Structures are given as structure tokens and as C-alpha cells.
mmCIF file of all heavy atoms in Angstrom:
data_model
loop_
_atom_site.group_PDB
_atom_site.id
_atom_site.type_symbol
_atom_site.label_atom_id
_atom_site.label_comp_id
_atom_site.label_asym_id
_atom_site.label_seq_id
_atom_site.Cartn_x
_atom_site.Cartn_y
_atom_site.Cartn_z
ATOM 1 N N HIS A 191 -12.512 -0.236 -3.856
ATOM 2 C CA HIS A 191 -13.355 -0.481 -2.685
ATOM 3 C C HIS A 191 -12.449 -0.810 -1.514
ATOM 4 O O HIS A 191 -11.206 -0.801 -1.643
ATOM 5 C CB HIS A 191 -14.352 -1.611 -2.962
ATOM 6 C CG HIS A 191 -13.737 -2.816 -3.609
ATOM 7 N ND1 HIS A 191 -12.950 -3.710 -2.918
ATOM 8 C CD2 HIS A 191 -13.758 -3.250 -4.899
ATOM 9 C CE1 HIS A 191 -12.534 -4.664 -3.729
ATOM 10 N NE2 HIS A 191 -13.000 -4.417 -4.942
ATOM 11 N N HIS A 192 -13.048 -1.099 -0.356
ATOM 12 C CA HIS A 192 -12.237 -1.235 0.857
ATOM 13 C C HIS A 192 -11.281 -2.417 0.801
ATOM 14 O O HIS A 192 -10.278 -2.433 1.531
ATOM 15 C CB HIS A 192 -13.145 -1.328 2.091
ATOM 16 C CG HIS A 192 -13.783 -2.669 2.283
ATOM 17 N ND1 HIS A 192 -14.886 -3.080 1.554
ATOM 18 C CD2 HIS A 192 -13.466 -3.696 3.115
ATOM 19 C CE1 HIS A 192 -15.226 -4.291 1.944
ATOM 20 N NE2 HIS A 192 -14.390 -4.693 2.876
ATOM 21 N N LEU A 193 -11.541 -3.397 -0.052
ATOM 22 C CA LEU A 193 -10.663 -4.562 -0.120
ATOM 23 C C LEU A 193 -9.415 -4.307 -0.958
ATOM 24 O O LEU A 193 -8.410 -5.009 -0.791
ATOM 25 C CB LEU A 193 -11.429 -5.766 -0.695
ATOM 26 C CG LEU A 193 -12.576 -6.304 0.162
ATOM 27 C CD1 LEU A 193 -13.270 -7.456 -0.550
ATOM 28 C CD2 LEU A 193 -12.072 -6.744 1.527
ATOM 29 N N ASN A 194 -9.467 -3.329 -1.863
ATOM 30 C CA ASN A 194 -8.303 -3.099 -2.726
ATOM 31 C C ASN A 194 -7.812 -1.651 -2.700
ATOM 32 O O ASN A 194 -6.950 -1.280 -3.499
ATOM 33 C CB ASN A 194 -8.626 -3.509 -4.164
ATOM 34 C CG ASN A 194 -9.658 -2.613 -4.833
ATOM 35 O OD1 ASN A 194 -10.040 -1.572 -4.304
ATOM 36 N ND2 ASN A 194 -10.136 -3.010 -6.002
ATOM 37 N N GLN A 195 -8.359 -0.822 -1.797
ATOM 38 C CA GLN A 195 -8.050 0.603 -1.842
ATOM 39 C C GLN A 195 -6.557 0.895 -1.629
ATOM 40 O O GLN A 195 -6.003 1.813 -2.251
ATOM 41 C CB GLN A 195 -8.881 1.362 -0.813
ATOM 42 C CG GLN A 195 -8.721 0.888 0.618
ATOM 43 C CD GLN A 195 -9.700 1.568 1.566
ATOM 44 O OE1 GLN A 195 -10.222 2.631 1.264
ATOM 45 N NE2 GLN A 195 -9.972 0.963 2.709
ATOM 46 N N PHE A 196 -5.899 0.094 -0.815
ATOM 47 C CA PHE A 196 -4.479 0.344 -0.585
ATOM 48 C C PHE A 196 -3.639 -0.102 -1.781
ATOM 49 O O PHE A 196 -2.614 0.508 -2.092
ATOM 50 C CB PHE A 196 -4.033 -0.341 0.706
ATOM 51 C CG PHE A 196 -4.749 0.189 1.913
ATOM 52 C CD1 PHE A 196 -5.720 -0.561 2.549
ATOM 53 C CD2 PHE A 196 -4.484 1.465 2.395
ATOM 54 C CE1 PHE A 196 -6.399 -0.066 3.652
ATOM 55 C CE2 PHE A 196 -5.170 1.971 3.492
ATOM 56 C CZ PHE A 196 -6.119 1.209 4.120
ATOM 57 N N ALA A 197 -4.078 -1.145 -2.456
ATOM 58 C CA ALA A 197 -3.398 -1.562 -3.684
ATOM 59 C C ALA A 197 -3.531 -0.488 -4.754
ATOM 60 O O ALA A 197 -2.579 -0.231 -5.513
ATOM 61 C CB ALA A 197 -3.987 -2.878 -4.186
ATOM 62 N N ARG A 198 -4.690 0.171 -4.828
ATOM 63 C CA ARG A 198 -4.876 1.246 -5.809
ATOM 64 C C ARG A 198 -3.944 2.427 -5.496
ATOM 65 O O ARG A 198 -3.373 3.043 -6.402
ATOM 66 C CB ARG A 198 -6.325 1.717 -5.802
ATOM 67 C CG ARG A 198 -7.319 0.660 -6.233
ATOM 68 C CD ARG A 198 -7.275 0.434 -7.731
ATOM 69 N NE ARG A 198 -8.320 -0.486 -8.147
ATOM 70 C CZ ARG A 198 -8.099 -1.689 -8.673
ATOM 71 N NH1 ARG A 198 -6.851 -2.105 -8.855
ATOM 72 N NH2 ARG A 198 -9.097 -2.465 -9.036
ATOM 73 N N ILE A 199 -3.807 2.746 -4.214
ATOM 74 C CA ILE A 199 -2.896 3.824 -3.826
ATOM 75 C C ILE A 199 -1.463 3.448 -4.198
ATOM 76 O O ILE A 199 -0.707 4.266 -4.746
ATOM 77 C CB ILE A 199 -3.021 4.116 -2.315
ATOM 78 C CG1 ILE A 199 -4.403 4.716 -2.010
ATOM 79 C CG2 ILE A 199 -1.917 5.061 -1.852
ATOM 80 C CD1 ILE A 199 -4.701 4.877 -0.529
ATOM 81 N N ASN A 200 -1.086 2.199 -3.922
ATOM 82 C CA ASN A 200 0.258 1.741 -4.263
ATOM 83 C C ASN A 200 0.510 1.815 -5.762
ATOM 84 O O ASN A 200 1.610 2.171 -6.210
ATOM 85 C CB ASN A 200 0.465 0.306 -3.770
ATOM 86 C CG ASN A 200 0.631 0.223 -2.266
ATOM 87 O OD1 ASN A 200 0.643 1.250 -1.583
ATOM 88 N ND2 ASN A 200 0.748 -0.977 -1.749
ATOM 89 N N ASP A 201 -0.501 1.447 -6.563
ATOM 90 C CA ASP A 201 -0.360 1.505 -8.021
ATOM 91 C C ASP A 201 -0.048 2.931 -8.480
ATOM 92 O O ASP A 201 0.777 3.145 -9.381
ATOM 93 C CB ASP A 201 -1.642 1.023 -8.700
ATOM 94 C CG ASP A 201 -1.863 -0.469 -8.556
ATOM 95 O OD1 ASP A 201 -0.904 -1.188 -8.219
ATOM 96 O OD2 ASP A 201 -3.012 -0.916 -8.770
ATOM 97 N N ALA A 202 -0.711 3.900 -7.862
ATOM 98 C CA ALA A 202 -0.493 5.296 -8.244
ATOM 99 C C ALA A 202 0.911 5.749 -7.883
ATOM 100 O O ALA A 202 1.587 6.434 -8.672
ATOM 101 C CB ALA A 202 -1.538 6.185 -7.571
ATOM 102 N N TYR A 203 1.371 5.388 -6.695
ATOM 103 C CA TYR A 203 2.739 5.735 -6.296
ATOM 104 C C TYR A 203 3.756 5.111 -7.248
ATOM 105 O O TYR A 203 4.718 5.755 -7.678
ATOM 106 C CB TYR A 203 3.024 5.258 -4.872
ATOM 107 C CG TYR A 203 2.635 6.227 -3.787
ATOM 108 C CD1 TYR A 203 1.424 6.118 -3.122
ATOM 109 C CD2 TYR A 203 3.496 7.259 -3.398
ATOM 110 C CE1 TYR A 203 1.066 6.996 -2.105
ATOM 111 C CE2 TYR A 203 3.143 8.139 -2.388
ATOM 112 C CZ TYR A 203 1.924 8.002 -1.740
ATOM 113 O OH TYR A 203 1.582 8.880 -0.739
ATOM 114 N N THR A 204 3.547 3.843 -7.555
ATOM 115 C CA THR A 204 4.478 3.141 -8.441
ATOM 116 C C THR A 204 4.506 3.779 -9.816
ATOM 117 O O THR A 204 5.573 3.957 -10.420
ATOM 118 C CB THR A 204 4.081 1.658 -8.553
ATOM 119 O OG1 THR A 204 4.102 1.068 -7.248
ATOM 120 C CG2 THR A 204 5.031 0.903 -9.455
ATOM 121 N N LEU A 205 3.338 4.161 -10.325
ATOM 122 C CA LEU A 205 3.255 4.807 -11.634
ATOM 123 C C LEU A 205 4.032 6.122 -11.643
ATOM 124 O O LEU A 205 4.662 6.477 -12.644
ATOM 125 C CB LEU A 205 1.787 5.068 -11.991
ATOM 126 C CG LEU A 205 1.505 5.691 -13.357
ATOM 127 C CD1 LEU A 205 1.998 4.791 -14.478
ATOM 128 C CD2 LEU A 205 0.006 5.965 -13.517
ATOM 129 N N ALA A 206 4.004 6.840 -10.527
ATOM 130 C CA ALA A 206 4.701 8.114 -10.429
ATOM 131 C C ALA A 206 6.190 7.953 -10.133
ATOM 132 O O ALA A 206 6.919 8.943 -10.066
ATOM 133 C CB ALA A 206 4.056 8.984 -9.348
ATOM 134 N N GLY A 207 6.624 6.716 -9.930
ATOM 135 C CA GLY A 207 8.024 6.480 -9.621
ATOM 136 C C GLY A 207 8.380 6.775 -8.177
ATOM 137 O O GLY A 207 9.553 7.008 -7.854
ATOM 138 N N LEU A 208 7.375 6.747 -7.291
ATOM 139 C CA LEU A 208 7.582 7.037 -5.874
ATOM 140 C C LEU A 208 7.414 5.762 -5.047
ATOM 141 O O LEU A 208 6.781 4.803 -5.479
ATOM 142 C CB LEU A 208 6.590 8.094 -5.394
ATOM 143 C CG LEU A 208 6.634 9.447 -6.113
ATOM 144 C CD1 LEU A 208 5.534 10.361 -5.576
ATOM 145 C CD2 LEU A 208 7.998 10.094 -5.967
ATOM 146 N N THR A 209 7.975 5.766 -3.853
ATOM 147 C CA THR A 209 7.860 4.621 -2.960
ATOM 148 C C THR A 209 6.505 4.633 -2.260
ATOM 149 O O THR A 209 6.160 5.622 -1.610
ATOM 150 C CB THR A 209 8.967 4.649 -1.894
ATOM 151 O OG1 THR A 209 10.247 4.661 -2.549
ATOM 152 C CG2 THR A 209 8.878 3.429 -0.987
ATOM 153 N N PRO A 210 5.732 3.571 -2.375
ATOM 154 C CA PRO A 210 4.406 3.527 -1.721
ATOM 155 C C PRO A 210 4.531 3.479 -0.203
ATOM 156 O O PRO A 210 5.589 3.127 0.329
ATOM 157 C CB PRO A 210 3.788 2.231 -2.260
ATOM 158 C CG PRO A 210 4.613 1.841 -3.432
ATOM 159 C CD PRO A 210 5.986 2.358 -3.172
ATOM 160 N N PRO A 211 3.465 3.824 0.498
ATOM 161 C CA PRO A 211 3.456 3.667 1.953
ATOM 162 C C PRO A 211 3.671 2.207 2.335
ATOM 163 O O PRO A 211 3.378 1.295 1.560
ATOM 164 C CB PRO A 211 2.051 4.138 2.357
ATOM 165 C CG PRO A 211 1.570 4.950 1.201
ATOM 166 C CD PRO A 211 2.200 4.369 -0.014
ATOM 167 N N THR A 212 4.170 1.976 3.553
ATOM 168 C CA THR A 212 4.453 0.606 3.984
ATOM 169 C C THR A 212 3.282 -0.033 4.710
ATOM 170 O O THR A 212 3.224 -1.258 4.832
ATOM 171 C CB THR A 212 5.667 0.579 4.929
ATOM 172 O OG1 THR A 212 5.379 1.391 6.077
ATOM 173 C CG2 THR A 212 6.904 1.123 4.226
ATOM 174 N N TYR A 213 2.338 0.775 5.236
ATOM 175 C CA TYR A 213 1.173 0.235 5.948
ATOM 176 C C TYR A 213 1.588 -0.752 7.054
ATOM 177 O O TYR A 213 1.055 -1.849 7.146
ATOM 178 C CB TYR A 213 0.207 -0.452 4.982
ATOM 179 C CG TYR A 213 -0.160 0.350 3.775
ATOM 180 C CD1 TYR A 213 0.215 -0.063 2.505
ATOM 181 C CD2 TYR A 213 -0.868 1.545 3.898
ATOM 182 C CE1 TYR A 213 -0.113 0.685 1.384
ATOM 183 C CE2 TYR A 213 -1.199 2.303 2.783
ATOM 184 C CZ TYR A 213 -0.815 1.875 1.525
ATOM 185 O OH TYR A 213 -1.139 2.611 0.419
ATOM 186 N N VAL A 214 2.562 -0.384 7.855
ATOM 187 C CA VAL A 214 3.084 -1.166 8.987
ATOM 188 C C VAL A 214 3.468 -2.591 8.582
ATOM 189 O O VAL A 214 3.342 -3.528 9.389
ATOM 190 C CB VAL A 214 2.087 -1.196 10.183
ATOM 191 C CG1 VAL A 214 1.823 0.181 10.707
ATOM 192 C CG2 VAL A 214 0.764 -1.874 9.824
ATOM 193 N N GLU A 215 3.949 -2.766 7.366
ATOM 194 C CA GLU A 215 4.317 -4.106 6.906
ATOM 195 C C GLU A 215 5.442 -4.711 7.738
ATOM 196 O O GLU A 215 5.448 -5.911 8.025
ATOM 197 C CB GLU A 215 4.713 -4.075 5.426
ATOM 198 C CG GLU A 215 3.563 -3.842 4.473
ATOM 199 C CD GLU A 215 2.488 -4.913 4.579
ATOM 200 O OE1 GLU A 215 2.846 -6.086 4.803
ATOM 201 O OE2 GLU A 215 1.305 -4.576 4.445
ATOM 202 N N GLU A 216 6.416 -3.893 8.137
ATOM 203 C CA GLU A 216 7.529 -4.419 8.934
ATOM 204 C C GLU A 216 7.032 -4.934 10.280
ATOM 205 O O GLU A 216 7.441 -6.012 10.747
ATOM 206 C CB GLU A 216 8.588 -3.343 9.133
ATOM 207 C CG GLU A 216 9.827 -3.844 9.868
ATOM 208 C CD GLU A 216 10.919 -2.791 9.954
ATOM 209 O OE1 GLU A 216 10.800 -1.743 9.278
ATOM 210 O OE2 GLU A 216 11.885 -3.028 10.707
ATOM 211 N N LEU A 217 6.129 -4.179 10.897
ATOM 212 C CA LEU A 217 5.568 -4.626 12.166
ATOM 213 C C LEU A 217 4.743 -5.889 11.978
ATOM 214 O O LEU A 217 4.778 -6.807 12.813
ATOM 215 C CB LEU A 217 4.710 -3.525 12.783
ATOM 216 C CG LEU A 217 4.005 -3.862 14.104
ATOM 217 C CD1 LEU A 217 5.018 -4.248 15.166
ATOM 218 C CD2 LEU A 217 3.141 -2.688 14.561
ATOM 219 N N LYS A 218 3.996 -5.957 10.886
ATOM 220 C CA LYS A 218 3.221 -7.166 10.597
ATOM 221 C C LYS A 218 4.134 -8.384 10.543
ATOM 222 O O LYS A 218 3.820 -9.447 11.094
ATOM 223 C CB LYS A 218 2.495 -7.024 9.256
ATOM 224 C CG LYS A 218 1.269 -6.137 9.255
ATOM 225 C CD LYS A 218 0.661 -6.165 7.864
ATOM 226 C CE LYS A 218 -0.546 -5.263 7.743
ATOM 227 N NZ LYS A 218 -1.108 -5.287 6.367
ATOM 228 N N ARG A 219 5.259 -8.248 9.854
ATOM 229 C CA ARG A 219 6.186 -9.373 9.727
ATOM 230 C C ARG A 219 6.773 -9.756 11.088
ATOM 231 O O ARG A 219 6.927 -10.940 11.401
ATOM 232 C CB ARG A 219 7.294 -9.026 8.735
ATOM 233 C CG ARG A 219 6.859 -9.021 7.280
ATOM 234 C CD ARG A 219 8.042 -8.932 6.345
ATOM 235 N NE ARG A 219 8.727 -7.645 6.470
ATOM 236 C CZ ARG A 219 8.404 -6.568 5.754
ATOM 237 N NH1 ARG A 219 7.411 -6.617 4.882
ATOM 238 N NH2 ARG A 219 9.063 -5.433 5.897
ATOM 239 N N THR A 220 7.119 -8.739 11.883
ATOM 240 C CA THR A 220 7.686 -9.021 13.209
ATOM 241 C C THR A 220 6.707 -9.804 14.065
ATOM 242 O O THR A 220 7.064 -10.796 14.714
ATOM 243 C CB THR A 220 8.050 -7.702 13.912
ATOM 244 O OG1 THR A 220 9.031 -7.015 13.138
ATOM 245 C CG2 THR A 220 8.600 -7.966 15.304
#
């Protein structure tokens, strides 16, 4: 659902051995 949809996408990337999207995390931290 909308509260966990990005975590689900990240789980799939991780399972495939790929780097998940960052979702502007660096900008968030800045």
C-alpha cells in the first residue's frame, strides 16, 4: 500500500542483487 510501497520496491531490488533507488535520500539528509 502507499505506506510501504517503496520498501516493497527496495526489497525486490535487494533480492535481485541490484541497488535500490535512493528516493532523494541524500537531499533529505541535507
